[in-house]
Amino acid sequence: MRLATALAKVTSLLGAFVAIAILMGLIGAGLLLPVVGATGTAAREGVGMFEQLPGDLERQPLAQRSRIQTADGKLISNPAQENRIIVDLDDISEEMQMAQVAIEDERFYSHGGLDPQGLARALASNATSDTTQGGSTLTQQYVKLMQQEEARRNEDSEALQQLAARSGMEGYVRKLRELKYAVTLEQRLSKDEILEGYLNLAFYGDNAYGVEAAAQHYFGVKAKNLNLPQAATLAGVVRAPGVTDPVHNPEAAVARRNVVLDKMYEQELISEKAWREARESELELEVHETRRSCMSSAHPYFCDYVTEWLLQNDALGATREEREQLLTTGGLTVTTTLDDELSKFVRNTTKDFTPRGNDYRLASAAAIVEPGTGHVLAIGQSSQYDIQESSDRISKTSVNWSVDYAYGGSEGFQIGSVAKAYTVVEALEKGVPMESNISVRRAVQVDANGNWNNPEEPGSRPVGTTHPAAIFTPDDFQEGCTLGQPEWAVRNAEDANHERQISLRKAVGWSVNTAFATLASQVGTCDIRDTMAAMGLNSGDGDEYGAGQAGVPPTFVLGADNASPLTVASSLATIAAGGLYCPPIPVLKIEDANGDEIPLADTQCEQVIDPDVAAGTAALMSEVIDPNGSGSLAQLADGREAAGKTGTADESKHTWFAGFTPNMSAAVWIGSPYEKYDGDLKDLTLGDHRVNGWLYGSKLAAPMWKQLMDRALDGEEIEEFDEPSQKMQYGEDKPVPDVTGMTVEEAIYELGKEGLAAQEVRVSSSAPVGTVVATSPGAGSTVKAGTTIRLSVSGGYTPPRSSPPPSAPPADDPPEDDPPEDEDPPEDEDPPEDDEPRFGPGATDESADTGVDAADGTEG
């Protein structure tokens, strides 16, 4: 058949002129019936008009779907305006090529774009009907498909209407244009190129454009693997896809398939045996839905996240509109960082720990990233993805709790004492050694409103139930990051750990709020905020972390602001990576339709903290997962080294565990994304998990983190953190500052800034009561950072005792070092239940960002 092609090309223009002359004669005369004898002027005018028609139809790149896939190539979604996959003719089976030609244009290989026999038949039909047929060749159909595609792309409804015209003058004009384009196209393209274009452009019904997409959609195979009955089925759909697609019209599809098979047999393209077997075969569909939207994705929340990330990435264009156009029409292949199996495990684990529809309105979300790269390995949450939210907004939602608002998430959740990790980093940066002690404020008894027996406010006293708390004032913090109110009463979980001296290790391991508020006041709250920003911690709404805490800014150091699990995990990964911060990135590479890689926009990592500081921070945070730490339930399998931090806030409304190993970082949030449970979040049963006492991050989020990390690290090499230097552990020599004449609190503050602790001893002195009269070692002495300095504090002058005469009354007792309160504080009316030891395995979690514990306020 192909031998006649060359001859056909030579004679095609001549045949076209004659045919068009006849048609133009009809048009010029305003007649609908063919005039067999049309000659002379009419014919010449027809040829002239034919020559004036545009003849070069530019082939525009076809819109084709892109593919977003997991790291190992599994489909996540197909962003597309149309479900189309472009393939070469070599990737389409011979059966499919023969079937399409047989049913659409049996003389395709023997004509030059116009089929005189088909055109004659069309003219005869036009003489006896009101419609305009044109004996369309496959080349003419290809022309029409290209024009329709261009009109749809340009949203040109008028052009689409003209292309659909089948009668009258519009029908003849459309056919003339197609004939001219077809003739010209045959001069520029080979038959194989025309057939390839047609098979990629044709609509095969049920949103499948092009033979590759159709083959995958209906039969789950590639176009190159289509067998005879499958190929005949698809070839038969093109003429009337609305009524013959095999999903919605299986009987019509089979009938049409058999017509195609008959044509192939008549044209001697297939044997009688093949014809009979194909005709008798069942229609065996294996329908594969395309995931054009994230609704149908196996990873819908990640799909939403990565799609939005791509639409904000300059690699795909200068504007969002350009990026969306390329993503939905450019046939891109986007290989993501997502670990398919791990992500499924995360999703199932969140549902296990917080089953949907639980009475406590609790949900969960988690994120896992790779330190040193920022690769997002998995995210997941307990809800079902649905754009129609359930009434509780927890069971079903499209809000992605794992990521920031900018990527389809919420505005984050209070992270509680997870924020203390950044104070540790800043303290070590400032020279506070790991083996140092912290001098903590003396605790006073405060009521629920923070009232206490304040000597500067005569008559002030607590009312009702009281709790121990350390009082801080605006002068204790850096300007710009200080209190917007006169006082801040900071409490500890379970009212425990109110020691005047506490080691930094113990403060971290047991998450002692009063110790960290003291440490933050010494190293600088604004500096801590800057460290948070450098390490990638931002609020869930995208603002600087702590910026939204109007009125009481320092509370951000205890986690009063919101963040997402992904942000927390990637930020703490900085410590795991030796101080290298890598922004979270969900994409490994992007390839265009030709397989060429598109360079990603700059996502470079940056060294933001000293590696030795990172090593020291990791060592201190490993105390949390120690058997005696607050996060002991997070200990990993095989004795694998890990570090982390618990967090709890707002009466247990938000609980966290975030931690890392040298090669993995994860953050787990369990809480109430919207309205909190009306009762107390204590003594809970969630699925197979029991919580005794108050819900802290240590009790549910920590064991969930362990499950996720054990699974993520299964088979990975066991790595250890770098060893911090001697200087990081024990500090360097420091001069003792002169604090004589200062109040005790002022002296403690000044010593703390130098990484020195203080121990107060009352002495008899004529100096004002409460002021420092001497230090040991003395001012100017050189000591190691972390050393405890003995403060001699005036308790007022006490004359030396002398033996009184026998008749004289006994001398007054000297004033006590620590005067008692006016009266014993009232007993706690409803203390939180705690079945676990406070200073051993399973020790209770940290306390409040605002200084109120989980029993009747906020717990950090």
Side-chain angles (χ1 to χ4, degrees):
M1 291 184 292
R2 302 193 186 198
L3 296 177
T5 301
L7 179 61
K9 285 188 174 181
V10 174
T11 60
S12 60
L13 278 177
L14 180 60
F17 290 158
V18 174
I20 294 302
I22 297 173
L23 289 174
M24 290 306 300
L26 295 175
I27 295 170
L31 301 175
L32 294 179
L33 294 178
V35 180
V36 177
T39 56
T41 302
R44 287 192 298 272
E45 288 177 355
V47 172
M49 186 171 184
F50 179 82
E51 290 176 340
Q52 293 173 14
L53 284 172
D56 194 6
L57 179 64
E58 191 68 30
R59 291 197 302 169
Q60 300 294 330
L62 293 179
Q64 56 178 317
R65 74 185 192 193
S66 293
R67 177 184 176 88
I68 299 177
Q69 61 188 21
T70 63
D72 60 352
K74 293 185 177 68
L75 177 65
I76 294 175
S77 71
N78 291 119
Q81 293 179 3
E82 295 177 346
N83 177 23
R84 189 195 313 277
I85 305 170
I86 306 300
V87 292
D88 295 332
L89 193 64
D90 291 341
D91 291 321
I92 302 173
S93 72
E94 287 287 340
E95 288 85 350
M96 184 65 216
Q97 297 179 43
M98 290 189 297
Q100 201 70 73
V101 170
I103 193 64
E104 295 299 333
D105 187 0
E106 62 183 279
R107 288 176 292 278
F108 174 64
Y109 289 104
S110 61
H111 64 63
L114 296 176
D115 180 11
Q117 184 176 337
L119 185 59
R121 185 178 63 250
L123 291 172
S125 175
N126 293 344
T128 58
S129 69
D130 294 331
T131 61
T132 305
Q133 294 186 22
S136 292
T137 62
L138 190 143
T139 307
Q140 289 172 255
Q141 293 179 49
Y142 179 39
V143 166
K144 183 177 180 180
L145 290 173
M146 283 195 291
Q147 291 177 305
Q148 289 174 334
E149 175 74 11
E150 183 177 6
R152 278 197 300 269
R153 183 177 299 181
N154 296 331
E155 298 181 355
D156 190 340
S157 57
E158 182 178 351
L160 282 172
Q161 185 176 2
Q162 292 174 352
L163 289 168
R166 295 184 59 83
S167 62
M169 183 65 69
E170 287 187 350
Y172 280 114
V173 170
R174 174 182 66 81
K175 188 58 61 177
L176 281 172
R177 189 184 302 112
E178 288 175 10
L179 288 169
K180 180 64 181 291
Y181 281 142
V183 169
T184 307
L185 203 62
E186 289 266 0
Q187 312 310 305
R188 294 196 295 114
L189 302 178
S190 69
K191 291 292 186 178
D192 281 354
E193 288 175 318
I194 292 171
L195 180 58
E196 177 185 295
Y198 178 91
L199 289 168
N200 278 304
L201 194 53
F203 178 51
Y204 288 90
D206 205 26
N207 198 43
Y209 290 82
V211 68
E212 178 70 18
Q216 293 186 22
H217 174 57
Y218 291 121
F219 302 111
V221 300
K222 293 184 176 294
K224 65 181 178 182
N225 297 323
L226 286 168
N227 59 31
L228 178 58
Q230 291 170 341
T233 301
L234 294 184
V237 171
V238 176
R239 184 69 60 86
V243 295
T244 58
D245 87 71
V247 170
H248 300 96
N249 305 283
E251 292 183 0
V254 169
R256 180 66 176 164
R257 176 200 70 182
N258 292 342
V259 171
V260 175
L261 291 170
D262 292 347
K263 284 281 189 180
M264 296 179 76
Y265 178 58
E266 291 170 5
Q267 296 169 32
E268 299 182 353
L269 298 175
I270 57 176
S271 67
E272 181 177 355
K273 179 183 178 184
W275 169 61
R276 292 189 182 280
E277 289 178 351
R279 237 181 170 278
E280 294 169 1
S281 66
E282 297 290 333
L283 179 61
E284 296 180 352
L285 298 179
E286 188 178 324
V287 179
H288 289 243
E289 296 294 340
T290 55
R291 294 169 180 167
R292 293 182 62 199
S293 75
C294 293
M295 279 287 293
S296 59
S297 174
H299 304 282
Y301 291 106
F302 183 84
C303 174
D304 262 358
Y305 163 56
V306 71
T307 299
E308 186 57 39
W309 187 89
L310 289 165
L311 293 178
Q312 295 182 33
N313 195 290
D314 292 342
L316 299 188
T319 67
R320 186 180 180 90
E321 291 72 22
E322 289 179 14
R323 298 165 199 150
E324 186 169 14
Q325 179 74 10
L326 181 58
L327 183 60
T328 57
T329 66
L332 306 181
T333 298
V334 180
T335 302
T336 71
T337 58
L338 189 73
D339 183 317
D340 177 64
E341 293 301 321
L342 179 59
S343 191
K344 290 176 181 176
F345 184 80
V346 171
R347 182 171 65 245
N348 292 334
T349 303
T350 59
K351 293 175 183 176
D352 174 50
F353 274 79
T354 54
R356 295 187 201 133
N358 64 79
D359 294 336
Y360 303 103
R361 302 176 191 166
L362 292 172
S364 59
I368 303 176
V369 301
E370 183 179 57
T373 65
H375 291 166
V376 181
L377 304 180
I379 62 174
Q381 64 191 61
S382 55
S383 64
Q384 177 182 334
Y385 184 93
D386 200 320
I387 58 174
Q388 297 294 327
E389 286 190 322
S390 55
S391 58
D392 62 5
R393 304 174 67 192
I394 295 175
S395 300
K396 294 181 180 180
T397 183
S398 61
V399 177
N400 189 344
W401 299 324
S402 297
V403 303
D404 286 354
Y405 181 80
Y407 298 105
S410 67
E411 293 187 353
F413 313 106
Q414 287 186 8
I415 66 174
S417 289
V418 171
K420 292 172 182 171
Y422 304 93
T423 298
V424 173
V425 170
E426 185 59 30
L428 297 187
E429 286 272 17
K430 291 283 179 66
V432 176
M434 296 166 56
E435 305 303 337
S436 63
N437 294 312
I438 303 171
S439 299
V440 185
R441 296 280 170 91
R442 184 191 308 276
V444 298
Q445 292 293 323
V446 301
D447 62 20
N449 295 317
N451 299 315
W452 59 293
N453 288 316
N454 187 350
E456 296 182 7
E457 295 183 13
S460 64
R461 60 186 296 111
V463 178
T465 302
T466 64
H467 304 271
I471 305 298
F472 294 84
T473 65
D475 291 340
D476 292 322
F477 303 103
Q478 281 180 305
E479 185 177 354
C481 300
T482 190
L483 298 170
Q485 58 190 43
E487 294 178 343
W488 179 26
V490 178
R491 290 171 50 195
N492 294 333
E494 309 291 342
D495 291 339
N497 301 323
H498 281 281
E499 307 168 32
R500 295 304 306 279
Q501 290 282 331
I502 187 171
S503 70
L504 180 56
R505 280 190 179 274
K506 180 178 175 181
V508 176
W510 292 349
S511 196
V512 182
N513 281 349
T514 52
F516 270 92
T518 300
L519 186 61
S521 75
Q522 294 168 347
V523 302
T525 42
C526 288
D527 296 338
I528 294 169
R529 179 199 60 195
D530 294 343
T531 292
M532 289 173 164
M535 292 174 63
L537 182 70
N538 58 263
S539 182
D541 60 8
D543 286 343
E544 183 179 68
Y545 192 85
Q549 297 301 299
V552 195
T555 61
F556 73 81
V557 302
L558 299 185
D561 206 352
N562 302 333
S564 69
L566 179 57
T567 294
V568 171
S570 61
S571 180
L572 292 187
T574 306
I575 304 170
L580 185 71
Y581 170 65
C582 300
I585 178 172
V587 173
L588 290 173
K589 65 177 179 178
I590 305 173
E591 296 170 299
D592 64 19
N594 298 319
D596 297 324
E597 190 164 344
I598 299 175
L600 290 170
D602 184 22
T603 54
Q604 291 185 351
C605 302
E606 182 181 359
Q607 191 74 34
V608 295
I609 59 176
D610 185 88
D612 200 21
V613 170
T617 304
L620 288 173
M621 291 180 68
S622 66
E623 297 286 333
V624 175
I625 304 180
D626 183 83
N628 292 323
S630 62
S632 59
L633 295 179
Q635 294 178 76
L636 298 181
D638 302 322
R640 189 184 289 268
E641 190 174 23
K645 192 69 197 72
T646 51
T648 311
D650 267 0
E651 297 181 280
S652 299
K653 181 178 179 181
H654 305 295
T655 68
W656 291 76
F657 193 89
F660 50 88
T661 66
N663 49 358
M664 204 76 69
S665 178
V668 169
W669 163 82
I670 296 177
S672 305
Y674 305 108
E675 293 300 319
K676 180 185 171 292
Y677 173 59
D678 293 335
D680 292 334
L681 287 171
K682 61 193 242 183
D683 298 325
L684 315 178
T685 298
L686 286 163
D688 296 332
H689 303 278
R690 175 68 184 170
V691 175
N692 293 318
W694 282 92
L695 175 64
Y696 293 115
S698 59
K699 295 187 177 180
L700 207 57
M704 179 172 159
W705 180 88
K706 168 185 167 55
Q707 283 196 24
L708 296 181
M709 289 291 279
D710 280 343
R711 168 61 180 79
L713 293 164
D714 185 30
E716 294 287 330
E717 180 182 352
I718 294 179
E719 299 182 29
E720 295 182 353
F721 294 119
D722 291 338
E723 186 74 19
S725 68
Q726 289 289 106
K727 175 182 175 183
M728 186 59 55
Q729 294 181 63
Y730 301 106
E732 57 185 3
D733 291 342
K734 294 273 188 177
V736 178
D738 186 0
V739 295
T740 56
M742 297 182 182
T743 66
V744 173
E745 300 304 341
E746 289 172 341
I748 290 174
Y749 180 77
E750 289 300 319
L751 292 171
K753 289 196 298 183
E754 299 300 323
L756 303 174
Q759 183 178 27
E760 175 186 351
V761 178
R762 292 296 177 109
V763 298
S764 173
S765 172
S766 59
V769 175
T771 59
V772 178
V773 296
T775 62
S776 178
S781 301
T782 300
V783 296
K784 285 287 186 187
T787 299
T788 298
I789 307 300
R790 181 185 175 98
L791 300 178
S792 297
V793 180
S794 173
Y797 178 71
T798 304
R801 285 183 182 272
S802 59
S803 298
S807 59
D812 292 336
D813 291 332
E816 298 180 7
D817 287 351
D818 190 1
E821 299 285 340
D822 291 342
E823 59 181 353
D824 291 335
E827 294 292 326
D828 193 333
E829 296 175 358
D830 184 20
E833 298 178 17
D834 180 16
D835 297 330
E836 301 169 339
R838 290 177 179 167
F839 310 121
T844 55
D845 195 15
E846 62 289 8
S847 132
D849 44 30
T850 59
V852 184
D853 72 11
D856 60 353
T858 307
E859 197 273 338

